[in-house]
Amino acid sequence: MSKVTPLSGFPEFLPSDRIVELQFLDTIRETFELHGFASVETRAVEPVERLSNQGEDADKEIYGVRRLAAEAGEDTSLGLHFDLTVPFARYVLEHGGKLAFPFRRYQIQKVWRGERPQEGRYREFTQADIDVVDSGELPNHYEVELPLVIAEALRKLPVPEFVVKVNNRKIPEGFYRGLGLDDVATVLRIVDKIDKIGPEKVIERLVESGATDKQARLAVQLADISSPDTSFVEQVRALGVEHPTLDEGLEQLSQVMAAAAEHAPGLLLADLRIARGLDYYTGAVYEIYLVGQESFGSVGGGGRYDALASDGKTTYPGVGISIGVSRLVHRLVSQGLLKGTRSTPTAVLVALNAEEDRAEAMRTAARLRARGIPVEVAPAAAKFGKQIKFADRRGIPFVLFSTENGPEIKDIRSGDQQPVDPAVWTPPAADVRPGIETLQENS
């Protein structure tokens, strides 16, 4: 038998950590549904042509899909989706005649990116997205609503303090055009690397791309501006650059920040360094960071896109934001902050005195399950001490015994053992299902 070798970038959880991930997914899903978002699931593959040319080196990261036994001339132009926004835009175009607009959707699925694996960077991971799309026009108030929904979901979870950094793509675009830099996409991609390579290297690369030293330094100065309120407008104006698109972006971001200050003070930080590498964003852009762990990178993000979903006749502008569930959970688990309270859903182990008792034990288990209690029967008859150790290793809190005096339930954590009627007994609510144990104080 060949040796099993792990594949880097394709993380797999142990059962107790998977419980943490499932709790996150359940909470996120329930929160999205509380806000009226409907669930959709799209296929894993899209035409490579649709996936490519989206910026952020997307072309290099797409996994191509083909049959190993593909014949000559067989179509091999499919790729695994690298995010959920591009396939969702296709979904809207394909099913637009059957959807009611504005359409509110959430989507929780795997995505694949062929990038170099490192901490927090995976080749396969789960994202949880919400988007609102409309036909023709999309009001700006959705750009405020979506980060508030995401924040509500995260605040229900044992997540450290976080901040949603927000910008508007029209601000750097208008600023660069006001400087005379018309290759906006190139400037954005260079400036977007400022955290990785530093401002001086960014200036150097901007000059290499055709900017003057003054233009490059002003672009970096713009990226240095941030504020928890609308004061960023005065800071931008002080740089002395004017352009109608810049004016529009400043106004739109001011509306977002003013509304956030009313509904969720301190949640949003206007940060003009945020650009998002994907080219389809046209308005608000978001990045979610854990406070004090910014060097880890964002654990979510998104933005507004006005032309991604268009069939030439009708355009469906949208705005969306996602949580990188795998990235976030792996970070918290690997830091020793969280773990599952047990490695199995089972709350009760029905013990066996002898193998002949299995049929009755299975009937007892069925009665408990009928009342929503997760139960399993011991794998084999053995001394009670051995069966208790089996339950303890798996984190099962209760063992149900048949004794001379009738059924008894033992809480193996406290050692307490009492007579019980399996037809009516129910464990404490906190023990029915596994939960998340916080191992350190999140701050």
Side-chain angles (χ1 to χ4, degrees), residues 16-82:
S16 61
D17 297 332
R18 172 64 172 159
I19 282 170
V20 176
E21 184 181 42
L22 288 173
Q23 293 269 339
F24 271 57
L25 291 173
D26 286 345
T27 299
I28 291 167
R29 175 184 56 80
E30 290 166 3
T31 304
F32 290 171
E33 291 182 356
L34 279 175
H35 287 265
F37 290 88
S39 175
V40 306
E41 181 172 285
T42 59
R43 64 200 185 206
V45 298
E46 297 289 338
V48 170
E49 182 181 3
R50 180 171 293 278
L51 295 173
S52 62
N53 301 316
Q54 300 296 346
E56 206 175 57
D57 295 325
D59 292 7
K60 300 176 183 178
E61 296 182 357
I62 298 170
Y63 278 106
V65 177
R66 65 183 293 272
R67 289 194 310 126
L68 292 178
E71 299 176 0
E74 186 172 330
D75 181 21
T76 57
S77 59
L78 297 178
L80 294 171
H81 56 228
F82 62 85

Side-chain angles (χ1 to χ4, degrees), residues 368 371 420-426:
L368 290 167
R371 291 185 284 113
V420 69
D421 181 357
V424 296
W425 176 83
T426 298

Side-chain angles (χ1 to χ4, degrees), residues 164-386:
V164 181
K165 297 185 178 182
V166 60
N167 192 7
N168 189 297
R169 285 284 281 262
K170 293 177 182 177
I171 293 175
E173 178 184 348
F175 191 85
Y176 302 155
R177 294 192 186 282
L179 285 174
L181 299 172
D182 292 325
D183 188 356
V184 173
T186 296
V187 179
L188 272 174
R189 287 175 189 169
I190 295 173
V191 174
D192 197 32
K193 299 181 185 298
I194 194 167
D195 287 330
K196 296 180 181 178
I197 64 176
E200 289 303 318
K201 279 288 185 183
V202 166
I203 291 170
E204 182 180 316
R205 293 192 182 183
L206 287 172
V207 172
E208 290 173 356
S209 71
T212 66
D213 183 74
K214 181 179 179 181
Q215 289 171 325
R217 292 188 180 280
L218 282 169
V220 168
Q221 283 182 262
L222 178 75
D224 281 339
I225 294 174
S226 66
S227 71
D229 48 35
T230 59
S231 62
F232 66 90
V233 177
E234 296 177 4
Q235 298 178 58
V236 174
R237 295 299 188 198
L239 297 179
V241 178
E242 296 184 359
H243 193 276
T245 303
L246 173 62
D247 296 340
E248 189 177 350
L250 290 172
E251 174 61 26
Q252 291 177 2
L253 185 55
S254 293
Q255 292 175 9
V256 170
M257 293 301 297
E262 177 182 352
H263 297 287
L267 171 65
L268 263 58
L269 175 70
D271 188 334
L272 305 194
R273 183 172 299 190
I274 301 300
R276 302 287 289 168
L278 294 166
D279 290 346
Y280 53 69
Y281 293 119
T282 55
V285 284
Y286 317 97
E287 297 272 12
I288 306 169
Y289 289 89
L290 301 178
V291 174
Q293 302 185 52
E294 287 82 1
S295 61
F296 176 67
S298 66
V299 294
R304 180 177 179 127
Y305 47 93
D306 285 305
L308 185 60
S310 177
D311 59 10
K313 295 180 181 179
T314 305
T315 297
Y316 300 91
V319 59
I321 188 168
S322 70
I323 300 172
V325 179
S326 299
R327 182 174 169 82
L328 178 59
V329 173
H330 271 274
R331 178 67 171 179
L332 300 179
V333 168
S334 66
Q335 286 185 320
L337 297 175
L338 304 176
K339 73 172 185 178
T341 53
R342 55 186 190 251
S343 62
T344 174
T346 306
V348 180
L349 176 73
V350 180
L352 288 176
N353 294 325
E355 192 58 37
E356 303 86 74
D357 299 329
R358 182 171 294 278
E360 179 58 31
M362 291 177 67
R363 286 190 284 271
T364 298
R367 288 195 293 271
L368 290 167
R369 292 189 194 108
R371 291 185 284 113
I373 303 169
V375 183
E376 62 182 274
V377 177
K383 292 182 178 180
F384 284 163
K386 187 173 182 180

Side-chain angles (χ1 to χ4, degrees), residues 38-179:
S39 175
V40 306
E41 181 172 285
T42 59
R43 64 200 185 206
V45 298
E46 297 289 338
V48 170
E49 182 181 3
R50 180 171 293 278
L51 295 173
S52 62
N53 301 316
Q54 300 296 346
E56 206 175 57
D57 295 325
D59 292 7
K60 300 176 183 178
E61 296 182 357
I62 298 170
Y63 278 106
V65 177
R66 65 183 293 272
R67 289 194 310 126
L68 292 178
E71 299 176 0
E74 186 172 330
D75 181 21
T76 57
S77 59
L78 297 178
L80 294 171
H81 56 228
F82 62 85
D83 76 349
L84 298 179
T85 306
V86 172
F88 174 57
R90 186 270 310 159
Y91 178 95
V92 170
L93 291 174
E94 189 169 334
H95 302 286
K98 302 174 184 178
L99 301 176
F101 294 97
F103 180 51
R104 302 164 71 88
R105 98 58 168 101
Y106 79 87
Q107 192 169 347
I108 301 176
Q109 277 185 246
K110 296 280 190 181
V111 299
W112 295 269
R113 294 184 185 176
E115 59 182 353
R116 183 174 65 85
Q118 52 187 301
E119 185 187 10
R121 294 285 183 182
Y122 307 115
R123 294 173 175 174
E124 179 184 67
F125 52 97
T126 299
Q127 283 190 333
D129 284 29
I130 49 172
D131 285 74
V132 178
V133 296
D134 211 339
S135 178
E137 300 289 336
L138 181 73
N140 291 336
H141 63 76
Y142 291 115
E143 297 178 19
V144 180
E145 180 185 354
L146 265 62
L148 297 182
V149 175
I150 291 290
E152 182 178 322
L154 291 176
R155 284 172 172 163
K156 293 177 180 177
L157 294 165
V159 172
E161 183 183 356
F162 62 92
V163 62
V164 181
K165 297 185 178 182
V166 60
N167 192 7
N168 189 297
R169 285 284 281 262
K170 293 177 182 177
I171 293 175
E173 178 184 348
F175 191 85
Y176 302 155
R177 294 192 186 282
L179 285 174

